[in-house]
Amino acid sequence: MACGYTTWKVCLLGSGIVCRSNIPVPHAGSKYFDLLQCAGALPLGHNHPIVRQAILDYVDSQLPQQCLDLATTAKTAFVQELWRWIPAPLSSTGKIQFTSPSGSDAVEAAMKLVRIATGRSTIIAFDGGYHGHTSGSLAAMGNTETKSQLKTGSLADVVFFPYPHPDKSPFGPTVTDSNVTAELCAALLETKLADPESGMTKPAGIIVECIQGEGGVVPAPREWLKRLRRMATEHDIPLIFDEVQSGFARTGTPFAFEYAGVTPDVIVMSKAVGGSMPLACIVYDEKLDKWQPGSHAGTFRGNQLALVTGARVLAHMRETRMWEHAAQMGALFRSHLVQHAAQFGIKQHIHSIRGRVSSDLWQ
Ligand SMILES: Cc1ncc(COP(=O)(O)O)c(C=O)c1O
């Protein structure tokens, strides 16, 4: 953001607007707060000094910029830093796979990993989930707008279950209590998994966002996530948490899933992990490590600039406990919104305020 302008505007660009090229053109004399931050890919904002310095230092070092799979100093430093973020037990049993730098490709890798490891095919995904636009990740996406243009029916073996949306119950408008919705969502999945007549073969994996991002900022209830973890363990189904958008200090905890005190078998990471440069990877339990070396190859998986930037930005966020700042800012936004809605008499026009910043955050 350039300085010296006169007017400040809060720019909340929804991705729908971005995709349709209706992006408001900045007017001379205006200054914008970009709260979207490239859909979460710029954890410290545009052109932060830490990012700038990391890039300049690396370029000045004259070391190679792309290194495929080579073990380099930059990669080692990045992995060491990333591991400080990975909670137990994954931190002791985890393996890492770098993927092509999009979140979609990291999701592809996660789905491929669990399919190879289990020898099964079906993936369970949830209504409203967003996992990307490659064929496999799109197959797991709740939104049907892009899929329906393909006219090919099912893109891959994915079965959808209802997600516990607090104010849009998948069980219809008569269910208004979000606890009842969450209970019904969990019970339905539990019943289906246990029922040999359900028509669904044993799944290879369950993929979920602990806070749906593109689906409308919808946090999954803590108890529902705990039950999902229990079900996955009982049925021996790898649980994949897609932290592409919610990961890295954005929601009050380092990863969004930490709110529920559960750990997945696979974490999918992109966006913020590269500290604003393109980078993506998955971290997964070693028991799933059954694929052959080279099973998820790709040219741009050794971007050294992204590795050094990611390492420095992640270290900064961890040292400053930036997730606490995110929680404070979230609470501030919420309280101001509520206050202004009352002040201007527009409360009845606000359908809901969602996020993970309610008073129970630190319980
Ligand atoms: C949760 C989630 N998963 C996957 C993706 C796909 O990432 P990309 O757009 O980098 O392919 C996104 C993108 O917004 C996302 O929010």
Side-chain angles (χ1 to χ4, degrees):
M1 288 187 290
C3 299
Y5 294 128
T6 49
T7 320
W8 287 84
K9 294 180 182 171
V10 174
C11 189
L12 279 164
L13 303 178
S15 62
I17 300 173
V18 172
C19 293
R20 284 172 184 76
S21 73
N22 275 337
I23 306 169
V25 178
H27 297 294
S30 297
K31 186 160 185 172
Y32 289 82
F33 285 109
D34 177 5
L35 298 188
L36 186 66
Q37 299 289 355
C38 190
L42 306 173
L44 302 183
H46 295 270
N47 304 319
H48 191 278
I50 290 179
V51 172
R52 186 174 174 276
Q53 201 55 53
I55 293 173
L56 288 177
D57 289 349
Y58 195 77
V59 171
D60 283 347
S61 75
Q62 301 199 3
L63 287 164
Q65 291 184 358
Q66 301 286 345
C67 293
L68 294 169
D69 279 326
L70 289 182
T72 61
T73 313
K75 186 178 269 187
T76 304
F78 172 82
V79 174
Q80 280 171 346
E81 174 55 37
L82 181 66
W83 237 251
R84 298 189 180 108
W85 288 72
I86 305 294
L90 258 189
S91 51
S92 50
T93 63
K95 298 259 178 196
I96 186 166
Q97 170 75 37
F98 288 93
T99 70
S100 292
S102 71
S104 304
D105 194 61
V107 167
E108 293 284 347
M111 289 168 59
K112 186 194 288 178
L113 174 85
V114 297
R115 282 179 165 140
I116 293 174
T118 60
R120 305 175 211 137
S121 161
T122 306
I123 299 285
I124 289 181
F126 294 91
D127 304 349
Y130 187 103
H131 300 291
H133 273 259
T134 52
S135 294
S137 61
L138 186 63
M141 168 128 94
N143 187 288
T144 51
E145 197 178 332
T146 306
K147 288 179 184 190
S148 50
Q149 294 173 53
L150 291 164
K151 313 277 183 240
T152 50
S154 165
L155 290 169
D157 190 355
V158 176
V159 176
F160 284 85
F161 278 85
Y163 185 85
H165 199 300
D167 29 58
K168 200 176 73 186
S169 175
F171 299 97
T174 53
V175 184
T176 50
D177 183 334
S178 59
N179 292 324
V180 174
T181 293
E183 169 57 34
L184 289 173
C185 287
L188 179 66
L189 182 53
E190 245 159 27
T191 315
K192 286 271 189 189
L193 286 174
D195 181 5
E197 298 287 329
S198 73
M200 180 178 72
T201 54
K202 186 165 176 168
I206 301 175
I207 185 162
V208 68
E209 290 166 274
C210 296
I211 299 181
Q212 288 188 342
E214 301 300 305
V217 186
V218 193
R222 186 187 272 140
E223 280 312 312
W224 183 81
L225 282 170
K226 283 183 192 290
R227 258 169 97 174
L228 196 61
R229 176 66 275 182
R230 269 203 305 275
M231 280 184 245
T233 305
E234 274 167 26
H235 292 273
D236 192 24
I237 304 168
L239 183 58
I240 304 165
F241 285 164
D242 181 342
E243 289 274 348
V244 166
Q245 186 158 156
S246 56
F248 300 104
R250 302 196 72 212
T251 69
T253 44
F255 287 106
F257 63 76
E258 289 172 81
Y259 166 80
V262 294
T263 316
D265 302 296
V266 186
I267 311 176
V268 185
M269 292 164 272
S270 179
K271 296 193 192 277
V273 75
S276 75
M277 292 285 115
L279 189 68
C281 60
I282 58 173
V283 168
Y284 58 92
D285 193 309
E286 67 182 346
K287 70 175 187 280
L288 298 170
D289 197 30
K290 305 234 172 94
W291 54 6
Q292 296 299 315
S295 295
H296 202 79
T299 304
F300 287 112
R301 294 175 306 121
N303 182 342
Q304 305 297 295
L305 280 177
L307 292 165
V308 290
T309 310
R312 284 219 206 158
V313 170
L314 293 193
H316 174 74
M317 290 198 287
R318 183 177 50 75
E319 283 156 10
T320 56
R321 300 178 66 82
M322 204 168 269
W323 49 91
E324 292 176 0
H325 179 71
Q328 283 157 10
M329 288 301 107
L332 193 71
F333 265 86
R334 179 187 285 255
S335 70
H336 278 245
L337 194 58
V338 170
Q339 195 184 319
H340 283 96
Q343 188 181 344
F344 295 109
I346 53 163
K347 247 175 149 174
Q348 70 279 15
H349 299 298
I350 298 182
H351 177 59
S352 70
I353 304 176
R354 291 192 294 269
R356 196 164 272 172
V357 292
S358 56
S359 53
D360 75 338
L361 183 65
W362 303 114
Q363 266 177 19

